[in-house]
Amino acid sequence: MSDLEQLLSSAGLVTDDQLREAQAAQRNRGRSLAAMVVELGFAGETDVWRLAAKASRLPFVDLSGGRIPERLVERIPGDFAREQRLVPVAEKGGKLVVAVDEPDRRLIADQLRFLTGDEVICALAAPSALSAVLMAFYGGAAAEAGVAAELAVTGGTDEGDAPIIRLVSRMFQEALEKRSSDIHIEPEGGGLVVRYRVDGVLREVARHPAHLAAPLVSRLKIMAKMDIAEKRKPQDGRIGVSIGGRDVDVRISILPTNHGESIVMRLLDKGAGLLSFRELGLVGEAQRRVAALLKRSGGIVLVTGPTGSGKTTSLYAALAELNRPDVKIITAEDPVEYHISGINQVQVETKIGLTFARILRAMLRCAPNVILVGEIRDQETAETAIQAALTGHLVFSTLHTNDAPSALTRLVDMGVPRFLVSTAVQAVLAQRLVRKLCPECSEEVEATPEELIALGLEPRPGVMVREPKGCYTCEGAGYRGRLGLFEVLELDAGLREAFFEGASLQVVKDHARATGNFLPLSEDGASKVLDGLTSVAEVLRVTRVDTDTAAAH
């Protein structure tokens, strides 16, 4: 039962039969539950919307008085207010409070912030009262001059371009403030949808009219030194921006779609600094094993996981541990994400033939102690990296695999002989990223037997875990920040021999478990749930693939 359903029932506004009827009507007609309760005549609009505000953790504003300060009305263009169904109602603590009539329209605050430059918060109002105020204050007025009108961009003059420049700058600034890793700009439904990826989850933050598409894309192409006339082929580029004194590297990819050009921009805050293994979430037995690996003088250590699982961040953490005056470190990266003092970093440039394999061969003539290969993508790179590992170099690299044991067979699939893999690979570190529970609002609850079984734990009463709730600090998500879950596979003599003789992945896992050389991802996840760092749902979200795969075998 949703929060609103519980509130409606506990307040006595609807009976159980009325609630079921409203739910059925909601499913059939695609309307909100609150709207159906009012439309069916079960309760008054103001009472229902007051509870809807409480369920959505939004303040409620009663607009029945119909009075709004004129100075606030003038700050929002009439066309925008009518189109988005919002009215400004107050100023509190330097923030503009606007009323909307549906909880899911709270995202309009971000779009309005783009337009006005003000911090905006949303409140919920009853739809009929909101309509009356809109008609009274914006109904017959012409569209007001403001940022929205400026963004029409005609003629390509400096004056016309200025709003687009402001829009792009503000978008980068806000994305950085929200700790976003990516900005997605996508053509959809006759307009543009802007989404930020925060803690690995995409959130819609703004919608812009279709006439902004061309100038916005052109502005970004110019900043990235792309061909602004080319709209049929994908393009990649980079933008360097400075926001609030922080240097940010933006990697931009543009993909033509049937509705227009879709843009993805990855943000890399160069001033954020490197994270240690402890800050990444590598603790306990996994941390002890990785620390031992870093003391070895030769062999290859692989970090695996899907795209966006933090592999590169873990490699940088390893380099930071090894970066001493008596250790020579050379890296081959695509791209160089962080510049580290004391380390020789080389940028891959495939256009001029400077590939991972070519850089790696050149590295070996420079007598390094430690080598980092950003990613093993082909047989040539894999074999060169392994040869380096066999000749007294400690080599780190990444692969895209689901779990640690799969990295061994992935190298074989690339064409590397089994005897080379079994000889050179010292260990494999697999990882995922999960969202951390918000420390301000997470709630302690007793875990169900089903949850404990799913985590691989014994189902017993009294086991307490924490769950997300949502508050102002985490913007209602219930989570803030991320940490890693880690799986460590070390190769001993028996495991090397078994793999060389063609053992299956399951045999490799079973042997490693029996000898204590395998720490599964699920165990690390269960430990972090019991420590109150993340939720059961988060751990199952990232480990379910491995569980399902194991079950299939």
Side-chain angles (χ1 to χ4, degrees):
M1 184 177 285
S2 70
D3 289 348
L4 179 57
E5 291 167 353
Q6 290 178 345
L7 288 170
L8 287 169
S9 181
S10 61
L13 290 184
V14 295
T15 65
D16 290 344
D17 290 339
Q18 288 174 332
L19 184 58
R20 282 191 289 270
E21 184 178 346
Q23 290 169 333
Q26 175 194 8
R27 290 191 294 269
N28 293 333
R29 300 176 58 179
R31 302 277 301 282
S32 71
L33 178 63
M36 293 314 306
V37 168
V38 174
E39 187 173 322
L40 292 171
F42 296 153
E45 186 182 62
T46 301
D47 293 334
V48 172
W49 251 259
R50 197 180 296 275
L51 292 181
K54 185 176 181 180
S56 304
R57 299 179 178 86
L58 288 174
F60 177 78
V61 58
D62 187 354
L63 295 178
S64 57
R67 297 300 304 168
I68 299 176
E70 195 68 26
R71 58 184 174 80
L72 296 182
V73 175
E74 294 173 355
R75 290 171 63 175
I76 297 181
D79 286 348
F80 184 82
R82 289 191 296 271
E83 178 185 346
Q84 301 296 341
R85 286 189 57 79
L86 63 87
V87 293
V89 293
E91 267 187 318
K92 288 187 177 180
K95 296 181 179 180
L96 180 64
V97 181
V98 298
V100 295
D101 59 2
E102 286 291 346
D104 59 5
R105 295 183 57 75
R106 72 180 78 190
L107 293 174
I108 201 66
D110 297 288
Q111 187 174 352
L112 191 56
R113 191 180 300 123
F114 275 120
L115 295 178
T116 65
D118 297 314
E119 285 293 316
V120 179
I121 58 177
C122 284
L124 200 63
S128 60
L130 183 71
S131 298
V133 171
L134 274 172
M135 180 62 68
F137 288 90
Y138 294 106
E144 298 181 36
V147 176
E150 290 182 89
L151 289 174
V153 186
T154 56
T157 63
D158 290 341
E159 291 80 3
D161 288 340
I164 284 294
I165 294 173
R166 288 206 310 272
L167 177 64
V168 171
S169 298
R170 191 170 302 218
M171 181 170 57
F172 285 137
Q173 181 178 353
E174 185 179 59
L176 200 61
E177 290 172 352
K178 288 182 176 291
R179 304 174 296 106
S180 305
S181 60
D182 308 276
I183 300 174
H184 295 246
I185 304 174
E186 300 158 344
E188 180 183 305
L192 285 178
V193 177
V194 180
R195 298 192 290 173
Y196 297 159
R197 189 182 297 279
V198 180
D199 294 336
V201 178
L202 281 170
R203 301 179 185 175
E204 182 179 319
V205 296
R207 286 180 178 264
H208 299 306
H211 70 260
L212 290 188
L216 182 60
V217 173
S218 295
R219 171 63 183 166
L220 291 171
K221 284 182 177 179
I222 290 170
M223 293 176 72
K225 297 180 174 58
M226 294 179 176
D227 183 356
I228 63 172
E230 180 56 74
K231 299 180 180 179
R232 300 168 299 170
K233 298 179 181 178
Q235 295 190 68
D236 296 306
R238 301 181 74 171
I239 302 172
V241 295
S242 180
I243 302 171
R246 298 159 68 180
D247 291 328
V248 180
D249 187 29
V250 183
R251 293 163 60 187
I252 176 172
S253 296
I254 297 182
L255 179 69
T257 70
N258 58 339
H259 292 298
E261 292 178 282
S262 176
I263 303 173
V264 177
M265 293 181 285
R266 183 177 181 188
L267 308 181
L268 180 65
D269 182 5
K270 294 183 177 180
L274 299 177
L275 298 177
S276 67
F277 276 129
R278 180 165 293 277
E279 290 171 316
L280 289 172
L282 185 68
V283 294
E285 179 64 13
Q287 191 276 334
R288 187 191 66 77
R289 291 179 182 238
V290 171
L293 290 172
L294 297 181
K295 295 177 181 177
R296 300 192 183 187
S297 59
I300 185 167
V301 177
L302 296 171
V303 181
T304 75
T307 301
S309 59
K311 299 186 296 296
T312 303
T313 306
S314 292
L315 288 179
Y316 276 119
L319 294 187
E321 294 272 345
L322 294 167
N323 190 13
R324 304 187 305 270
D326 61 329
V327 177
K328 177 158 185 158
I329 303 174
I330 307 180
T331 74
E333 304 174 59
D334 184 20
V336 175
E337 296 194 2
Y338 292 97
H339 297 278
I340 309 173
S341 177
I343 294 180
N344 302 279
Q345 297 172 269
V346 184
Q347 170 74 49
V348 170
E349 296 288 353
T350 53
K351 292 181 180 178
I352 60 173
L354 197 61
T355 61
F356 278 117
R358 187 172 179 181
I359 295 171
L360 191 49
R361 287 195 299 271
M363 280 182 187
L364 299 179
R365 297 192 289 270
C366 299
N369 302 105
V370 178
I371 291 173
L372 167 66
V373 182
E375 183 181 347
I376 293 178
R377 298 176 178 171
D378 51 48
Q379 180 182 355
E380 184 182 11
T381 305
E383 289 187 338
T384 309
I386 285 178
Q387 291 294 345
L390 292 174
T391 53
H393 303 87
L394 184 58
V395 180
F396 293 91
S397 192
T398 70
L399 277 175
H400 290 279
T401 64
N402 282 334
D403 58 14
S406 298
L408 304 178
T409 55
R410 176 78 177 116
L411 291 173
V412 174
D413 292 341
M414 285 183 177
V416 181
R418 276 182 175 263
F419 77 90
L420 284 180
V421 176
S422 61
T423 304
V425 176
Q426 298 294 313
V428 185
L429 180 71
Q431 65 182 74
R432 298 288 191 278
L433 290 178
V434 293
R435 292 179 291 173
K436 291 194 293 186
L437 287 166
C438 175
E440 301 294 329
C441 65
S442 63
E443 297 178 321
E444 190 173 58
V445 299
E446 183 175 350
T448 66
E450 292 77 16
E451 288 175 331
L452 294 174
I453 291 172
L455 291 174
L457 301 173
E458 179 185 349
R460 52 189 175 85
V463 178
M464 305 305 292
V465 297
R466 301 194 74 84
E467 287 187 346
K469 181 181 178 183
C471 65
Y472 181 80
T473 300
C474 60
E475 298 181 347
Y479 299 93
R480 185 174 178 84
R482 289 192 289 178
L483 78 160
L485 303 186
F486 297 91
E487 178 173 276
V488 183
L489 172 69
E490 291 186 86
L491 277 73
D492 60 8
L495 186 55
R496 295 180 196 279
E497 183 177 355
F499 184 75
F500 172 66
E501 292 176 353
S504 67
L505 275 182
Q506 193 57 50
V507 171
V508 168
K509 288 183 181 180
D510 292 342
H511 183 281
R513 277 182 186 273
T515 56
N517 289 319
F518 183 48
L519 296 178
L521 196 70
S522 56
E523 287 187 12
D524 193 35
S527 174
K528 288 182 168 69
V529 168
L530 295 178
D531 288 341
L533 298 175
T534 189
S535 67
V536 175
E538 271 296 287
V539 170
L540 295 182
R541 179 175 66 87
V542 302
T543 61
R544 189 173 292 123
V545 173
D546 304 314
T547 305
D548 293 344
T549 302
H553 289 296

